[in-house]
Amino acid sequence: MQTWDKYVRKSGLLFVLSGPSGVGKDAVLEELSRIYPGFRRCVTATTRQPRFGEVDGVDYTFMSVDEFRERAELGEFLEYAHVHGNLYGTPKQWVQDQLWKGKDVILKIDVQGGLSVKEQMPSAILVFLVPPSLEELEKRLRGRLTENDEEVSKRLLDARRELDQIPHYEYIVENDTLLQTAEELKAVIIAEHCRIQRQ
Ligand code: ADP
Ligand code: 5GP
């Protein structure tokens, strides 16, 4: 036991990764897990329909609106929000369990969710992912081929509102090339672990 041990963080940290739809949050987290596999990514719940190839319990926990509302009333979500016309929510117990076990957790959630998490857990660290440009964002969103034209337009409209919330976040990372972005996210995680713990 060293005298400075009390200043060294031992518990897991909670990170929130937000950014407009199509900016590359999923792709960046996949790259991050390749170069820095120590973190846990939270599988959140949603009432939206699975996209082609999405797996229940891996990409999301897919559920009906009735089940979602029931769980929300039971207080099972750390936060939940309407995003692009569907409900999404973060499972509270799972997040707490991971942090207690000393694991870092990353939530890939929207800005309303991020701010709500920060209110309840001020030690959460908010990271905003931005595209190199709005043109590139639209290109990525359309290139993904998972939404129809109407949905793409809705997401692009929502993107502007989300980008207005950047000042409430603590870190901004530009997703230019995947590897560089994942490296920057890794640097944020490591820096946060080096922060002096104050009792
Ligand atoms: P989000 O999770 O933010 O909605 P995705 O991870 O699904 O976004 O990425 C949207 C699309 O952009 C995908 O087709 C993905 O392969 C592509 N993409 C993500 N990051 C990059 C990047 N750095 N350069 C080029 N394309 C990217
Ligand atoms: P998608 O439908 O493209 O997977 O996700 C749409 C948006 O919902 C993304 O911005 C994503 O970050 C957000 N999201 C996913 N899960 C949650 C959640 O549990 N809570 C909140 N508030 N947003 C979420």
Side-chain angles (χ1 to χ4, degrees), residues 1 40 76 83 95-96 98 118 125 141 148-149 168-169 179:
M1 176 90 179
R40 298 286 159 90
E76 289 185 18
V83 190
V95 171
Q96 284 174 347
Q98 299 305 314
K118 184 76 181 175
I125 299 126
L141 196 51
N148 60 35
D149 274 355
H168 300 295
Y169 272 56
L179 180 58

Side-chain angles (χ1 to χ4, degrees), residues 97-166:
D97 287 351
Q98 299 305 314
L99 295 175
W100 281 329
K101 285 184 201 162
K103 303 288 180 199
D104 289 339
V105 172
I106 301 188
L107 304 177
K108 187 209 80 171
I109 62 177
D110 87 318
V111 172
Q112 315 164 62
L115 297 180
S116 165
V117 166
K118 184 76 181 175
E119 232 175 82
Q120 298 171 68
M121 300 175 74
S123 60
I125 299 126
L126 305 185
V127 182
F128 204 105
L129 196 62
V130 290
S133 65
L134 285 175
E135 292 72 30
E136 176 65 18
L137 177 69
E138 180 164 356
K139 202 172 120 201
R140 286 183 190 173
L141 196 51
R142 292 195 188 283
R144 191 168 66 183
L145 299 173
T146 46
E147 283 83 19
N148 60 35
D149 274 355
E150 193 189 330
E151 284 163 341
V152 167
S153 304
K154 176 156 184 36
R155 282 169 186 245
L156 287 173
L157 215 67
D158 288 345
R160 294 180 186 269
R161 268 192 296 111
E162 286 170 306
L163 290 162
D164 285 344
Q165 302 299 317
I166 291 173

Side-chain angles (χ1 to χ4, degrees), residues 25 44 48 51 60 79 81 83-84 88-90 108-110 113 155:
K25 297 179 293 296
T44 58
R48 89 151 157 72
R51 292 179 189 135
Y60 280 104
E79 62 71 41
V83 190
H84 314 311
Y88 293 81
T90 305
K108 187 209 80 171
I109 62 177
D110 87 318
R155 282 169 186 245

